[in-house]
Amino acid sequence: MGQEVETTRMGSSFVYASARTPFGRFNGALADTRTDDLAATALKGLLDRSPGLDPGLVGDVFWGNANGAGEDNRNVGRMAVLLAGMPVSVPATTVNRLCGSSLDAAMMAARMIEVGDAEIAIAGGVESMTRAPWVLPKPSRRFPAGDVTAVSTTLGWRLVNERMPAEWTVSLGECNEQLQEKFSISRERQDEFGARSHRLAAEAWKKGFYDDLVVPVPGTDLGQDESIRAGTSLEALAKLKPAFRPDGTITAGNCSPLNDGASAVLLGSASAAATIGRDPVARIAGRGWAALEPQQFGYAPVEAANGALERAGITWDDIGAVELNEAFAVQSIACVDAWLKLGLRDAEVVNAKGGAIAIGHPLGASGGRILGTLAARLVESGERWGVAAICIGVGQGLAVVLENVA
């Protein structure tokens, strides 16, 4: 005779709060701050948003990180928990899905809550691209006679397997030049998109939108995202030289820079509100993921977002806000163009507070940033539905649908 097992309907997960550091430039204001300290700063800043919450009641911490070769090694999520002063009883894991790491972390935390394994969880991510080390492969024998090369772990492919097809392992910039050719997206459109990102990010900071989302990093005087150039003009962007092809369209002005920073998001069940001491702001209504040929990674958010909408039971007609990580202007434009054809009401709902071209893209932290920004935008606007989406190197994309419950 078998034992009867009680089954319950899967619950919902909610975003309660978010916090992030300002994003610093490569070799900029955060260059002297260790990666694990950046992570701890975002985590502590998040907990400070909910002073009524006993940190020991956090069921698990999921932390995104793309490089993991330096100060972010040895499970930087757990390091963040300890450095932030949380109880040693709070566990943590580190997630690596490259640029999508912290959005993936949030998806994992949400699933944990929805299946009832925890009432409260934290997701976040960190990257110091400035402090990413050079690495040396170990020799196959002692004292090799030839030279060895130190390989940068800052961005992109390194120590590539020879069995990988060459077309899969081209630079991220070359991947997007190919995308530009496929969709005929002009240099002018890309520069316009880049200038818009800087303009909207600067406006959002000036109007105070980011004031409650960003926490200072101890030992620095960085007050806002360091890569934003408020006076960026089309004329200035047009003068920049192509970065990846002599006759290419992608420049330093229409793609995201290298950055340092961290982000964190507090998630919980509906019943966790009393424990946390605040009401939730958004429900995680749908999740999506997709994979394409590695060189087509910039377009992967299209199907990832479509899948998230389908799981949420809504369509693009319902969406009032989109946060799309702007790795490159060309891939962002390609994604937005596709969504407009599927019913997105207006391109202006995408990244209305600026995007990664201006704000920055510290790889492991960007997913948490766009999710927190999306929740705040829904609260501000009163729109019901929003999408956070991100492209991921080696051909992947992730997306989350939020429903405003504030």
Side-chain angles (χ1 to χ4, degrees):
M1 294 179 63
Q3 182 179 5
E4 288 189 9
V5 178
E6 181 181 354
T7 59
T8 59
R9 185 167 177 259
M10 189 171 71
S12 294
S13 58
F14 297 84
V15 173
Y16 278 82
S18 67
R20 68 173 178 90
T21 69
F23 287 176
R25 290 178 181 169
F26 187 81
N27 279 326
L30 302 183
D32 293 331
T33 305
R34 285 179 57 105
T35 313
D36 46 9
D37 284 330
L38 283 175
T41 296
L43 183 51
K44 188 175 184 305
L46 180 71
L47 292 170
D48 289 345
R49 296 287 196 271
S50 301
L53 171 64
D54 176 358
L57 297 178
V58 174
D60 209 346
V61 174
F62 298 83
W63 208 260
N65 180 239
N67 285 330
E71 296 155 347
D72 42 9
N73 74 90
R74 298 292 295 168
N75 188 357
V76 70
R78 175 64 172 167
M79 300 303 108
V81 165
L82 298 176
L83 290 167
M86 296 183 72
V88 296
S89 58
V90 177
T93 189
T94 296
V95 179
N96 186 348
R97 204 191 285 244
L98 300 181
C99 304
S101 296
S102 54
L103 193 60
D104 206 9
M107 293 164 72
M108 292 178 180
R111 292 188 188 105
M112 171 178 261
I113 292 163
E114 289 165 11
V115 300
D117 285 345
E119 286 290 309
I120 301 167
I122 290 174
V126 67
E127 212 76 53
S128 175
M129 301 178 81
T130 297
R131 298 176 73 89
W134 296 281
V135 298
L136 289 174
K138 285 186 176 179
S140 58
R141 63 186 66 184
R142 291 181 295 172
F143 309 119
D147 296 333
V148 292
T149 301
V151 179
S152 173
T153 64
T154 299
L155 180 69
W157 291 91
R158 76 284 309 243
L159 305 176
V160 179
N161 191 313
E162 293 180 356
R163 296 192 299 110
M164 279 284 185
E167 64 269 23
W168 287 359
T169 62
V170 296
S171 72
L172 301 178
E174 172 59 26
C175 291
N176 278 272
E177 287 289 8
Q178 293 178 21
L179 205 63
Q180 179 274 324
E181 291 178 329
K182 180 177 180 178
F183 292 104
S184 299
I185 297 171
S186 68
R187 164 77 182 267
E188 290 72 23
R189 283 192 75 189
Q190 294 176 57
D191 286 349
E192 288 171 359
F193 192 91
R196 172 185 182 270
S197 184
H198 285 280
R199 174 175 55 81
L200 293 178
E203 288 177 359
W205 269 105
K206 185 176 181 180
K207 293 178 180 178
F209 175 82
Y210 287 113
D211 290 352
D212 291 334
L213 297 178
V214 176
V215 295
V217 177
T220 74
D221 59 1
L222 185 61
Q224 64 177 333
D225 303 306
E226 195 175 10
S227 295
I228 298 172
R229 299 186 298 276
T232 297
S233 66
L234 288 176
E235 293 74 20
L237 292 179
K239 295 177 182 178
L240 297 177
K241 294 181 179 179
F244 302 100
R245 291 182 181 179
D247 59 347
T249 62
I250 299 173
T251 72
N254 57 36
C255 66
S256 60
L258 306 179
N259 296 94
D260 310 328
S263 64
V265 182
L266 178 64
L267 299 107
S269 65
S271 61
T275 304
I276 294 172
R278 63 188 303 162
D279 292 327
V281 295
R283 179 177 70 92
I284 294 186
R287 293 177 288 265
W289 48 93
L292 304 172
E293 295 85 356
Q295 67 272 31
Q296 298 296 317
F297 78 93
Y299 197 67
V302 173
E303 284 307 313
N306 291 346
L309 287 173
E310 182 177 355
R311 292 179 182 91
I314 60 173
T315 69
W316 279 109
D317 292 337
D318 300 303
I319 296 299
V322 177
E323 284 294 313
L324 171 64
N325 192 58
E326 300 168 354
F328 292 81
V330 63
Q331 59 84 205
S332 300
I333 294 168
C335 291
V336 175
D337 284 351
W339 292 330
L340 287 169
K341 292 177 182 178
L342 292 169
L344 178 66
R345 67 180 73 160
D346 187 351
E348 291 304 308
V349 306
V350 179
N351 299 352
K353 306 298 182 180
I357 290 174
I359 292 168
H361 179 23
L363 309 176
S366 289
R369 177 191 73 80
I370 62 173
L371 191 64
T373 301
L374 179 64
R377 283 184 58 196
L378 291 175
V379 171
E380 179 190 63
S381 68
E383 291 283 352
R384 181 177 179 184
W385 301 102
V387 175
I390 195 164
C391 67
I392 302 166
V394 202
Q396 298 190 83
L398 290 176
V400 170
V401 172
L402 291 184
E403 180 185 17
N404 183 1
V405 299

